[in-house]
Amino acid sequence: MTKQTVVVALGGNALLRRGEPLEADIQRHNIQIAAQAIAKVAEHYNVVLVHGNGPQVGLLALQGLEYKKVNPYPLDVLGSETQGMIGYMLMQEFKNLLPERNVTCMLTQMTVDANDPAFANPTKPIGPVYQAEEARALAEKYHWTVKPDGHYFRRVVPSPLPTGIVEHQAINTLIADGHLVICTGGGGIPVKYQQGKLVGVEAVIDKDMSAAFLAKQIGADALLILTDADAVYLDWGTPTQHALRSTTPSELANYQFDEGSMAPKIQASCEFIKQGGRLVGIGALEDAVAILNGQVGTNIIRDH
């Protein structure tokens, strides 16, 4: 029996959790935990993994600002660096857990529309969290846009919608050959066509939107979004908060979610379902297999 294909979206905050020091050893430890959970999914499905890069791309940007002898590298270049850094660690851990499995990490470019309104309204958090006073000082020093992130503040950058995957044919070939594929890391390296040539774009694409776009393009059976919440909640942070266990795009249209965290996940999920996807699961990393089985987390299915 042919295995079904699931696109797994793993948040950058699962690799460097909120408030943790941005250390390589800490990231490697978290990646070991993530790989163990996703390897269990790979026992039953063809897995295509998309990872976030918010903390990591922000760290590289900060490091670049401290070295004054060269101009800071643009976000598309930093995004490619995070694809290599995170992809290397993930690929190594998967190979240790699944030595007989082909595991391939692919640098992936994602096209965006240069006229996307996201460029005028930065929303994508990158880098570490700051207290309000420090965030204001850094915003003034580096001309950043900063916005609240929970009880803290973070730098935010433009996050345009993906419009195409440059390497999609190669990804399909790897899936057909049975590889566990790591691709479109950090949402993909943002690029655009300019006079017929690809050029980089100063942005960070939302990894959930890219995962949904990828899932639609490769005809995946399911999209699994792993996050730091165990489900999608209504009335989050209030005494009446409660989890949605099974829902549809039309039901979700009645609710509002936080633009900085859950809203992009809901938007990406509904887009995938409306474009013909069968199932989206949202929940905690450790529950990955159980979410796909409908036992925990939130399942989003087609409207009846």
Side-chain angles (χ1 to χ4, degrees):
M1 181 178 174
T2 304
K3 287 183 178 179
Q4 293 184 332
T5 298
V6 57
V7 171
V8 179
L10 179 66
N13 288 322
L15 309 178
L16 277 170
R17 297 188 177 106
R18 195 182 307 275
E20 281 186 330
L22 305 181
E23 299 284 350
D25 287 346
I26 292 173
Q27 180 166 277
R28 185 176 289 279
H29 172 72
N30 291 338
I31 282 175
Q32 288 173 346
I33 296 170
Q36 289 168 2
I38 297 167
K40 293 176 183 176
V41 177
E43 293 175 10
H44 308 283
Y45 298 87
N46 291 319
V47 168
V48 184
L49 178 62
V50 178
H51 62 77
N53 71 343
Q56 295 84 359
V57 76
L59 171 63
L60 292 179
L62 284 169
Q63 291 172 335
L65 288 170
E66 291 303 312
Y67 187 69
K68 308 297 185 183
K69 293 185 179 181
V70 298
N71 291 324
Y73 281 23
L75 287 173
D76 60 301
V77 174
L78 298 182
S80 70
E81 290 183 22
T82 64
Q83 282 193 8
M85 172 177 64
I86 299 169
Y88 154 66
M89 292 185 181
L90 284 165
M91 189 167 54
Q92 190 175 76
E93 291 305 325
F94 281 124
K95 198 64 180 175
N96 289 337
L97 290 165
L98 305 167
E100 303 303 317
R101 190 80 174 264
N102 286 318
V103 181
T104 302
C105 178
M106 178 177 240
L107 278 177
T108 319
Q109 300 172 92
M110 185 72 79
T111 58
V112 300
D113 183 352
N115 297 314
D116 191 306
F119 289 105
N121 179 31
T123 59
K124 177 65 177 174
I126 66 170
V129 295
Y130 301 103
Q131 299 289 347
E133 186 174 341
E134 185 180 11
R136 283 193 293 269
L138 288 169
E140 184 174 345
K141 180 178 180 180
Y142 295 122
H143 307 291
W144 289 353
T145 300
V146 297
K147 290 185 178 179
D149 183 12
H151 298 298
Y152 301 95
F153 287 80
R154 287 175 81 184
R155 179 189 177 188
V156 292
V157 299
S159 184
L161 292 174
T163 61
I165 302 169
V166 176
E167 293 80 13
H168 72 276
Q169 291 180 328
I171 294 168
N172 280 331
T173 299
L174 290 169
I175 296 168
D177 285 345
H179 290 234
L180 192 164
V181 184
I182 304 164
C183 62
T184 63
I189 304 165
V191 297
K192 64 180 179 180
Y193 282 98
Q194 186 171 294
Q195 297 179 337
K197 295 183 178 180
L198 286 167
V199 296
V201 175
E202 186 76 356
V204 175
I205 304 169
D206 181 79
K207 69 100 182 31
D208 296 312
M209 296 303 296
S210 286
F213 189 95
L214 171 67
K216 178 184 67 176
Q217 190 154 43
I218 67 175
D221 298 282
L223 170 62
L224 177 62
I225 298 177
L226 300 175
T227 182
D228 51 5
D230 62 3
V232 176
Y233 281 81
L234 298 181
D235 302 331
W236 176 253
T238 72
T240 59
Q241 75 175 36
H242 59 284
L244 285 171
R245 293 303 177 190
S246 182
T247 184
T248 64
S250 61
E251 181 184 0
L252 289 167
N254 297 318
Y255 309 123
Q256 283 193 325
F257 297 95
D258 182 13
E259 285 297 330
S261 57
M262 192 56 73
K265 295 173 175 56
I266 298 298
Q267 183 182 355
S269 301
C270 293
E271 196 64 31
F272 174 60
I273 294 293
K274 289 174 182 176
Q275 294 294 327
R278 182 179 61 83
L279 171 71
V280 177
I282 301 177
L285 173 66
E286 61 270 19
D287 296 332
V289 174
I291 295 167
L292 288 170
N293 293 334
Q295 297 166 314
V296 296
T298 297
N299 278 185
I300 303 172
I301 58 175
R302 297 175 189 172
D303 290 299
H304 300 299

